[in-house]
Amino acid sequence: MGNHKSRPAKPAKTATPSSTPKPRKLSPSAVIIPPCTLYKSRAWDETAVRKLIASRVLSPAFVGDANKTPDSEECPICFLNYTGGLNRTLCCKQAICTECLLQTHPQFVTTSTLTCPICRHGMIVKYTGPLSKEERAAMELEDKKVHDLEEKMRMEEIERDREREAARKSMPTSVPTTPPPPPPPPPPPAHLDLNNEDAMMAEAIRLSLVDAYQEQYGAIPGGGGAGGGS
């Protein structure tokens, strides 16, 4: 029998770390909820909130900052900026911080039937971590489209105001006209019965009207101002 050469042992395979490791699920006890900085009271169950954050159902309760950075997102309710990603509503694609979400919907920890505080439709919240570069670019493009549309509408309204003003100035100026005088008082009766009190009262009223008419409009056409004969 021939000599057999022993084969060299194959090197053991070493585990290589994944390039995109999945986020590690936290223990509820490790979740840190900072003191409430926006609202005076908390109406939610903190233990339940810790479990939701640990399960990545809610974003961590980050502390907001008034200064915006390239890596931050603004909450449309408190207008503060947060890093690390925010909760995102699937109904209107808006970001909302955990503190504002729980303040507007403290029952979030116990029910899934909610109304979105932004669009007022049925709300489903999802937390996926910080936005990627592609997501940020898409959001910036969408914001630019909205800004351009608002600017276009504003310029169109300014142009309409200019057209209305030009049309108003081109209209002929109307000269106020003096209204014609009212009909003169009736002429005196042909015969005035001095013994009739009603006739005397009517004549006195007529003469008062005659005086007022003459004071404002001058002489009565036809000279019907003197009293009647007896």
Side-chain angles (χ1 to χ4, degrees):
M1 297 181 62
N3 295 330
H4 295 280
K5 294 182 179 180
S6 60
R7 296 180 181 179
K10 293 183 179 180
K13 293 183 178 180
T14 58
T16 57
S18 175
S19 57
T20 55
K22 294 183 179 180
R24 183 172 56 89
K25 186 176 179 179
L26 299 175
S27 169
S29 59
V31 174
I32 299 175
I33 299 180
C36 193
T37 57
L38 299 177
Y39 307 99
K40 293 182 179 179
S41 61
R42 289 180 175 180
W44 57 86
D45 183 352
E46 186 169 313
T47 301
V49 171
R50 288 177 182 273
K51 292 180 179 179
L52 292 174
I53 294 176
S55 301
R56 298 184 63 83
V57 175
L58 282 179
S59 72
F62 301 113
V63 177
D65 192 338
N67 299 318
K68 187 173 181 62
T69 64
D71 297 330
S72 65
E73 287 187 82
E74 183 184 74
C75 173
I77 295 181
C78 64
F79 299 108
L80 293 178
N81 300 281
Y82 298 85
T83 57
L86 294 180
N87 307 293
R88 197 161 303 279
T89 61
L90 301 186
C91 47
C92 56
K93 308 299 182 183
Q94 292 292 325
I96 179 172
C97 72
T98 293
E99 195 169 336
C100 286
L101 174 62
L102 295 176
Q103 187 68 26
T104 55
H105 292 85
Q107 72 277 22
F108 179 84
V109 297
T110 58
T111 181
S112 59
T113 305
L114 301 172
T115 299
C116 178
I118 301 171
C119 70
R120 312 308 299 174
H121 290 91
M123 180 176 68
I124 299 177
V125 175
K126 188 176 182 180
Y127 173 61
T128 57
L131 293 175
S132 64
K133 292 183 179 180
E134 292 76 12
E135 289 172 327
R136 289 186 179 277
M139 288 181 62
E140 291 175 359
L141 180 60
E142 188 66 24
D143 290 343
K144 184 178 184 304
K145 289 181 180 179
V146 173
H147 177 270
D148 292 346
L149 180 59
E150 291 176 346
E151 183 66 15
K152 179 182 178 182
M153 294 174 63
R154 188 180 71 85
M155 296 305 296
E156 290 176 350
E157 184 62 27
I158 292 176
E159 185 62 27
R160 284 193 293 268
D161 289 341
R162 290 175 179 171
E163 292 175 356
R164 286 192 290 264
E165 182 66 17
R168 186 185 65 81
K169 290 181 178 180
S170 65
M171 293 178 62
T173 305
S174 58
V175 179
T177 57
T178 303
H191 175 73
L192 181 63
D193 186 358
L194 299 177
N195 296 320
N196 189 326
E197 292 184 1
D198 292 340
M200 293 297 293
M201 180 63 71
E203 179 62 9
I205 294 173
R206 191 192 71 82
L207 291 175
S208 177
L209 294 175
V210 168
D211 292 341
Y213 187 94
Q214 290 176 338
E215 182 179 352
Q216 185 170 0
Y217 300 106
I220 297 177
S230 57

